[in-house]
Each structure stands twice: as structure tokens, then as C-alpha cells.
Amino acid sequence: MTETIATRTVRPPTAPPSLGGLGLFTVLLAAALPLIDFFIVNVALPTIGRDLHASEAVLELVVAGYGLAYAVLLVLGGRLGDLFGRRRFFLGGVAAFGLTSLACGLAPNAWALVAARVAQGAASAAMLPQVLATIQAATSGQRRAKAMGLYGATAGLSMVAGQILGGILVAADIAGTGWRSVFLVNVPVVIAGLVLAARAVPETRSQNPEPVDGPGTVLLAASLLALLAPLTEGRSAGWPLWTWLSLAAFPFVAATFYAVERRADRRGRTPLVPPSLFALTSLRRGLVMIVPFGVGFSGFMFVVAVALQRGAGLGPVPAGLALAPMAVVFFFVSLAGPRLVARYGTRVVTAGALVQGAGVGLMALAAWRSWPDLGLVELLPGAALAGAGQALQLPILFRVVLSEVEPARAGVGSGVMMTTQQSSLALGVAALGTLFLSLVPGLGMRDALVTTLLTQLGCVALTGLLSLRLPRTIG
């Protein structure tokens, strides 16, 4: 009798997805686009207004519509990536960003541009959370630390470079496109990004995906709209009754959102923003720091763009290039961030706040002494110091926030962080922009600028104090 022994081939476990160098370059390229586009229109707004005969209120909607859609949908974008696959959702978001950029560049009137900008913000919200989630899920150890450092460097550089690039493109008037080129330039970049992403970005998703939290999504959107819509549109609209009613409703809507999310968490479901996520000390304290940093940074960028063009009489290119030292120094200092953190821990962030504060103080002094002859030379020392200080904060903060988030929650964690950052950027433009423009009639452009810069200095001081509560080391 012959004994037959059945054998079974045992397959080795599937290796976790890995994000290579080309894939990292691709997702960082995509991460730069939404941030560049948030700031690129600052120096183009006067030209857009003249060409499309748009009022100041409509021009503010060109900025606010993008920022609101972006902020409101970011957490949902992260959750959908967890659910359906981050690479798939990333490709769809990149393609949608390219199409909406084309619609912005071809807009026949101001309201069509506003609608296209809202759609562009929604596309950004689908694309950007997948970047951080992919880095979190497809890297580990030193490679993750390096990738997060490069992401932070890309984010900070993009916010400054957007304003510089906007000025150059408007002045260049490529093929007679004028301001339209600030949007059309995205199209070839998106095409290249899609080709690279299809080859080099791995697919990742949550191992236990949960369905979308409908009530949480609606309530989060309502909370952010109740806060950001009146702040961004209130001044230009003359603060009508709806703005005050909306601000009064915000704490109640936010409290309802938190209660609904907490109940879902306790029942074992996965809410849109799990309250248990905030049990992570590094995430909670890092998010709190991002708020004053983002408010001060975006408000500064908007106010300087307005002051240099309307007050100092600079054209789009000189106004943009006045901040070039900030961008250059930011880039090179941010590259040293991982080594500094490995040696000194998160006290590097505290040092960064001190350096940034010195830079903002020097720029306020330059504005007070040199106005209206304010440009690249006068702002150079302060801008360079401010850029160095920002580079020692922002990339490290991103690492801190996500350091304890497990890969299965990478999408929701990155979505929460990006929503906090984007909401802070929108708040900064609204708050510091409103302060500056309200002070101009009474104080004049110079004193209004100096006062606003000193207000930003208060934001920098707050980030420095909050940095003392960060965990000393990053996991």
C-alpha cells in the first residue's frame, strides 16, 4: 500500500508596502500643490479684480472658498483613503486637482472662478491626506523620520514659494495669460505627477476599514463653516447679522459634534474623528501648537503681500521676491532638522520660536524705520531669521503629531492634522487680515503693518511657550 503525502505550498507573508525614493518625491510634489495654491493668489488678486471686474468681497471668496472647502473635507478625504485605498484616492484627487485648476485658469467671470476654486479645494482635500497616510503606512524608523522631515520642509517652502511664484507668473504674462497662469501651471505638473504616481506610489489601506461616519461628517463641516465663513467674509460684507449668528452657533455645533463622536467611539464604531485619538499626548499637544503657528504665518503672508503692493507700491515680482530669503533659509535649515532633533529633542522647536520671534521683530523694525521704501534689502535680515525659525518648528511639529498614530489610523490622523493646519491658515488670513485692513484708515499703512507684525509676534511667543509641553523625544 502506497502512502500518499499531500503537501501544501505555504506562501510567505506579504511584505508591507514600501515607499521608495521616486514614490516619496511624487507624493511630496502633490503635497506642495494645494499649499502653493492657497498662497499663490495673494499677489494675483489685484490683477484678477481688474480683469474680471470683481469686488473686494468676491475676491475674498476666491481665497476663502478654496480654504473652506479644503478645511471642511480634509478629514473625510483621509477616511475615504483608509476605506478605498490611499493610492487609488490619491490618483483621483490629483486628477481632480488638475481639472479644477484648468477650470480656474479658463474661468470667464469672477463667480465662475469662485466656483472652480471651491471645487479645487475639495480636490485638494481628497489628495493631501493620502500623502501623510502613505508615508505613515509605507515607511518606518529612520526612513519615516526623514520622509516626515522632507514633508515638513516641502510644506513650509511651498507656502512661501507660492507667493513668490504667483508674482513671477503674473508679471511674466506668459502667452498673454496674465493671472490665469497661476492656475494653468498646475496642469502639466499634475500630468507628470499622475504618471509617476501610477508607477511609484504603493497601495495602502486600513486593515479594518470602517464605513464613513455620516453624522460626524455633517457636524464637522457645519462646525468649521460656522466658524470660518463669518471670519473670512465678515469684514468685506460689513459684519451682517448672519455672521454674528454663525459665530454664536459655533460652540453649540462643535459641542454636538464632540458628543456624537464620543458616543460612536464608546459603542465600538469608528467615528470620523475618534476622541480616543486625542489620548495621544504628542498628537494633542502638537495640534495645539499648530494653531498659533498657522494663524501667525498665514496672516503674515497675506498682510505683507497687501502692504508691499498697495502701500509700498511694489509690483507683483518685487513683492513676491521680498520673501525669497525666508524661503531659501527655510529650505536649508529644515534639512538639518532631523539631525538636530536626534541630538537635542523637541527643544529645537522652542529654539525655533525664539529665532522666528527675533526675525519678526526685525521686520517690524524695518517697516517702522524704512516705510515706504520697504523691499528685499530692508526685509532680508528679519525674513532670513524668521525662515530659519519656522524651519525649526513646522517639520518637527508634523513628526510630533503623527509619531504615536498607528498605521491603521494614518488617514484619519493625517486628516485631523491637516484640518487643524488649514483651519489655522484660514483663521490667520481672516483675523490678522481683518486687523490690518481695519487699522489702515486710522493709523496709515505703516503703523497698521507694524501693529499686525507685533500681533504675530504674540503668536510666535505662544508657540514657544506651548513647545515646552511637548514630549522631549519623538517616537
Side-chain angles (χ1 to χ4, degrees):
M1 182 176 180
T2 304
E3 183 179 354
T4 303
I5 301 176
T7 59
R8 182 176 61 184
T9 303
V10 179
R11 295 182 180 178
T14 305
S18 178
L19 184 68
L22 183 60
L24 179 60
F25 170 80
T26 304
V27 296
L28 292 180
L29 177 66
L33 291 176
L35 292 169
I36 286 174
D37 266 56
F38 183 83
F39 289 94
I40 200 169
V41 297
N42 281 349
V43 292
L45 286 176
T47 310
I48 294 173
R50 289 192 300 269
D51 189 36
L52 299 182
H53 309 289
S55 66
E56 185 177 339
V58 175
L59 287 178
E60 288 200 9
L61 277 175
V62 172
V63 178
Y66 176 85
L68 285 172
Y70 190 9
V72 164
L73 297 172
L74 270 166
V75 177
L76 178 62
R79 170 60 63 81
L80 291 173
D82 287 350
L83 184 62
F84 296 111
R86 295 165 188 138
R87 177 179 180 272
R88 179 185 301 176
F89 222 72
F90 175 77
L91 288 169
V94 172
F97 187 85
L99 291 173
T100 52
S101 296
L102 183 63
C104 289
L106 299 179
N109 55 59
W111 285 108
L113 178 58
V114 170
R117 282 284 281 174
V118 170
Q120 190 185 36
S124 298
M127 174 174 63
L128 190 60
Q130 318 316 325
V131 173
L132 279 172
T134 299
I135 290 174
Q136 192 78 351
T139 60
S140 60
Q142 270 305 114
R143 290 188 65 248
R144 181 183 295 171
K146 181 180 179 182
M148 288 300 298
L150 288 172
Y151 174 85
T154 300
L157 186 62
S158 299
M159 291 188 278
V160 182
Q163 210 143 297
I164 299 171
L165 180 62
I168 293 172
L169 289 173
V170 170
D173 192 21
I174 302 168
T177 54
W179 61 268
R180 298 178 186 276
S181 60
V182 304
F183 302 112
L184 296 176
V185 71
N186 292 332
V187 177
V189 178
V190 161
I191 293 172
L194 285 171
V195 172
L196 292 174
R199 293 183 56 192
V201 176
E203 181 65 282
T204 64
R205 69 179 72 207
S206 175
Q207 295 300 312
N208 299 295
E210 296 283 344
V212 171
D213 173 16
T217 300
V218 172
L219 285 169
L220 176 62
S223 300
L224 291 172
L225 286 171
L227 175 65
L228 296 178
L231 288 177
T232 53
E233 286 302 301
R235 188 196 62 81
S236 61
W239 298 104
L241 179 61
W242 73 264
T243 58
W244 299 108
L245 292 175
S246 182
L247 287 172
F250 166 69
F252 299 101
V253 180
T256 304
F257 168 69
Y258 179 76
V260 167
E261 297 297 271
R262 186 173 60 178
R263 185 167 63 247
D265 213 9
R266 286 176 174 175
R267 291 181 177 178
R269 300 195 299 268
T270 303
L272 184 72
V273 181
S276 57
L277 199 65
F278 295 94
L280 302 175
T281 302
S282 57
L283 179 135
R284 186 175 64 250
R285 294 181 179 177
L287 289 179
V288 170
M289 270 197 69
I290 284 175
V291 174
F293 183 92
V295 166
F297 183 82
S298 65
F300 163 79
M301 296 294 289
F302 175 79
V303 167
V304 167
V306 173
L308 292 180
Q309 290 192 82
R310 296 185 189 175
L314 298 182
V317 173
L321 290 179
L323 298 178
M326 181 182 290
V328 173
V329 173
F330 184 102
F331 177 74
F332 286 106
V333 174
S334 65
L335 296 179
R339 293 194 299 275
L340 292 172
V341 171
R343 184 169 181 179
Y344 301 107
T346 55
R347 288 298 174 260
V348 172
V349 179
T350 309
L354 292 172
V355 174
Q356 184 189 5
V360 173
L362 283 176
M363 285 190 283
L365 181 62
W368 182 70
R369 295 180 59 182
S370 303
W371 189 264
D373 299 318
L374 195 63
L376 173 63
V377 174
E378 292 77 17
L379 291 175
L380 193 152
L385 273 179
Q390 290 160 357
L392 294 175
Q393 295 175 81
L394 189 63
I396 299 166
L397 276 178
F398 287 155
R399 281 184 59 191
V400 169
V401 170
L402 294 179
S403 61
E404 295 181 289
V405 178
E406 58 192 43
R409 282 182 155 183
V412 68
S414 61
V416 168
M417 186 178 77
M418 290 295 95
T419 298
T420 304
Q421 181 197 17
Q422 186 58 37
S423 300
S424 302
L425 294 178
L427 277 173
V429 172
L432 294 188
T434 296
L435 173 66
F436 172 71
L437 294 172
S438 300
L439 291 176
V440 168
L443 297 181
M445 190 74 74
R446 184 197 72 171
D447 290 350
L449 175 59
V450 171
T451 302
T452 307
L453 288 174
L454 293 177
T455 304
Q456 190 207 355
L457 196 56
C459 293
V460 175
L462 181 57
T463 59
L465 290 173
L466 290 171
S467 70
L468 297 174
R469 300 183 69 244
L470 290 175
R472 287 300 298 268
T473 59
I474 302 176

